[in-house]
Amino acid sequence: MSKDCGNHGGGKEAAVRRILAAVIAFIIIVLITIFLVWVTLRPTKPRFILQDATVFAFNLSQPNLLTTNFQVTFASRNPNSKIGIYYDRLHVYATYRNQQITLRTAIPPTYQGHKEDNIWSPFVYGTAVPIAPYNSVALGEEQGRGFVGLMIRADGRVRWKVGTLITGKYHIHVRCPAYINLGNKAAGVIVGDNAVKYTLVTKCTVNV
């Protein structure tokens, strides 16, 4: 007589179910642990200050073309005592009344440790950039009064590092108002041929 092997298949299925249940339970435990660590530490977004801007060129010509070349200096601080920040991507550029007037300049990827400060001094520029006619009129009026109001922006992606855990990528948007007295070179420091460095020390808004 042959033996009944009908229970063998059922035993294998039960073993597979137990393994899947164990894997799922492990994943749930890991996710709960990450969530609890995240909630407990409560990461604080980095802080940015626009320290200065060195203007090499800022020329508005007809018909509505703007040529700019300047260097800006950012100070960034990680206020977290137990969380590091990976800046995977960060592009800096300038806008005037929400219109981009320079190309984007990439900041090299970097890691910012606990309570650490970073200084970046990228160049941003644009050659004969067409701007909207109404913005050209407004910019010409501001230049006539001396002060020009720009917005220095930095957009990119960051990751948080908590111990050995590294999160997914988050969008970061930095906005730094820059009011530059182009009409008075004595308001800054002459650092080269027609280049003037203006001290700003402006607090930036940061959204993550």
Side-chain angles (χ1 to χ4, degrees):
M1 294 178 63
S2 61
K3 294 183 179 179
D4 184 5
C5 299
N7 291 331
H8 290 183
K12 290 181 180 179
E13 291 179 1
V16 170
R17 285 196 296 269
R18 285 195 295 270
I19 293 173
L20 288 176
V23 170
I24 293 173
F26 175 76
I27 293 174
I28 292 174
I29 292 173
V30 170
L31 292 176
I32 292 175
T33 301
I34 293 174
F35 175 75
L36 291 177
V37 171
W38 185 261
V39 170
T40 302
L41 296 177
R42 293 180 181 272
T44 301
K45 58 190 177 184
R47 298 167 186 161
F48 280 74
I49 292 177
L50 179 60
Q51 294 185 332
D52 57 63
T54 301
V55 180
F56 296 89
F58 198 96
N59 301 313
L60 178 63
S61 60
Q62 297 301 326
N64 308 323
L65 300 176
L66 179 62
T67 296
T68 60
N69 184 3
F70 47 96
Q71 183 180 24
V72 295
T73 300
F74 285 101
S76 171
R77 178 169 178 77
N78 176 8
N80 299 287
S81 60
K82 297 181 180 179
I83 301 175
I85 303 174
Y86 283 101
Y87 292 90
D88 292 328
R89 188 176 69 192
L90 201 62
H91 291 118
V92 180
Y93 59 102
T95 63
Y96 177 75
R97 295 196 172 190
N98 294 319
Q99 181 177 359
Q100 186 173 335
I101 60 173
T102 70
L103 299 174
R104 293 172 178 252
T105 299
I107 300 294
T110 186
Y111 173 75
Q112 191 173 49
H114 312 153
K115 296 287 186 178
E116 189 172 279
D117 296 290
N118 287 81
I119 302 293
W120 295 302
S121 296
F123 284 86
V124 290
Y125 62 91
T127 303
V129 177
I131 61 175
Y134 54 86
N135 280 343
S136 178
V137 171
L139 183 57
E141 292 175 351
E142 287 190 13
Q143 281 188 294
R145 293 193 295 267
F147 275 91
V148 172
L150 304 178
M151 184 68 72
I152 309 300
R153 304 188 178 207
D155 295 329
R157 291 189 177 185
V158 297
R159 289 177 295 157
W160 309 95
K161 183 176 184 294
V162 184
T164 59
L165 300 176
I166 300 176
T167 69
K169 294 182 179 181
Y170 289 80
H171 291 280
I172 182 171
H173 303 285
V174 182
R175 302 291 181 263
C176 307
Y179 298 98
I180 304 174
N181 190 357
L182 296 177
N184 181 15
K185 291 185 177 181
V189 178
I190 298 177
V191 295
D193 294 337
N194 297 320
V196 183
K197 183 177 182 178
Y198 298 92
T199 300
L200 302 173
V201 191
T202 303
K203 185 178 180 180
C204 308
T205 61
V206 180
N207 291 308
V208 179

